Amino acid sequence: MNVIVVLAGILCLLMILIGGKQGLRSFLSLFLNFGVLFVTIFLMTNPKNSPIILTFIACTVISCISLFFINKTNSKTITAFISTMVTIVVLLLFITIVTKKSMIQGFGEESTEEISIFSLYIGVNFVQISASVIIMSTIGAIMDVAISIASSMHEIFHRNPLITRKDLFAAGLSIGRDILGTDTNTLFFAFFGGYLSLLIWFKDLSYSIGEIVNSKVFSAEMMTIFCAGIGIALIIPIASSVNAYYLIRKREQSEHLSS
């Protein structure tokens, strides 16, 4: 039997045993998200389609699957979804500008030999493609922080329903600070672990430290890491403010109806 099938079966079994129905939905969401990514990549090959718009649509669908399909529709997932989409819009604008200014799009000189037999006039906007890649790399971490803050703030509000909006917002920021360091390091090691072969390649090419830092391939990966960290940092105050506004507004509405 194929090793991939065996590993998928073990993962599915463990997720069902530990997570129950929610674990099964989480496992199914992996294939649904893969389908969304596959369709998005296929549509990006058409020069008439905007990669930025496709990325935004894909992130919206992925967020719906990861939040509403797995955790169902409730106040926590709604506020987490709003926070995620606001952050994605800000990041898309920011990363598009940064990618264009830094000129990291396209292929590096290390890939010249491999792509020399192909035509480079494919009509695709590589600036927007690079921005899309960075966004797709960070969407999972952004949603993770958003739902973590939403769940924690809802629990705080449930335990202390008379808390002020300012104190609730401050509590959300405090929770986010604890998440910020660990998630940023997780992204850093995830990217470098995935691109360990790139570092080995640089060693085989006898690159100096300066050549490594100034190479387009390395710069693109570092840009991805930094933009991912910026996304995680941005989602903390955004999610805290959205949840604080929603919860206090909900309390005020209930008090108004009771009176």
Side-chain angles (χ1 to χ4, degrees), residues 211-244:
E211 289 173 323
I212 292 175
V213 172
N214 288 287
S215 67
K216 181 178 286 189
V217 178
F218 182 81
S219 298
E221 297 310 317
M222 291 305 298
M223 290 281 293
T224 303
I225 294 172
F226 290 142
C227 289
I230 290 171
I232 293 175
L234 281 176
I235 189 65
I236 293 173
I238 291 174
S240 299
S241 59
V242 169
N243 281 278

Side-chain angles (χ1 to χ4, degrees), residues 73-241:
T73 304
N74 51 57
S75 58
K76 298 176 186 177
T77 53
I78 291 173
T79 54
F81 176 77
I82 295 172
S83 305
T84 300
M85 298 316 301
V86 171
T87 306
I88 290 298
V89 171
V90 175
L91 271 184
L92 274 174
L93 297 174
F94 173 75
I95 292 174
T96 302
I97 296 173
V98 170
T99 304
K100 187 174 182 178
K101 293 293 184 181
S102 60
M103 294 185 292
I104 62 169
Q105 70 276 4
F107 301 98
E109 61 180 12
E110 296 84 4
S111 305
T112 304
E113 183 177 349
E114 288 80 1
I115 65 175
S116 59
I117 62 174
F118 301 104
S119 172
L120 300 181
Y121 298 99
I122 58 178
V124 176
N125 190 328
F126 274 97
V127 174
Q128 295 186 5
I129 291 292
S130 299
S132 299
V133 170
I134 295 174
I135 288 293
M136 289 295 187
S137 302
T138 60
I139 180 66
I142 291 173
M143 285 189 298
D144 178 56
V145 176
I147 193 64
S148 297
I149 292 178
S151 298
S152 301
M153 291 184 68
H154 276 69
E155 184 64 24
I156 292 172
F157 183 79
H158 177 71
R159 299 291 181 181
N160 185 12
L162 299 179
I163 190 172
T164 63
R165 180 179 299 174
K166 182 179 179 180
D167 291 339
L168 189 58
F169 176 76
L173 289 181
S174 179
I175 295 165
R177 293 190 190 100
D178 295 333
I179 300 173
L180 179 62
T182 55
D183 271 32
T184 305
N185 278 284
T186 299
L187 284 174
F188 178 81
F189 289 113
F191 282 119
F192 263 91
Y195 285 90
L196 185 61
S197 57
L198 177 63
L199 301 178
I200 298 174
W201 188 26
F202 284 146
K203 181 180 181 299
D204 291 338
L205 293 174
S206 300
Y207 271 23
S208 65
I209 297 297
E211 289 173 323
I212 292 175
V213 172
N214 288 287
S215 67
K216 181 178 286 189
V217 178
F218 182 81
S219 298
E221 297 310 317
M222 291 305 298
M223 290 281 293
T224 303
I225 294 172
F226 290 142
C227 289
I230 290 171
I232 293 175
L234 281 176
I235 189 65
I236 293 173
I238 291 174
S240 299
S241 59

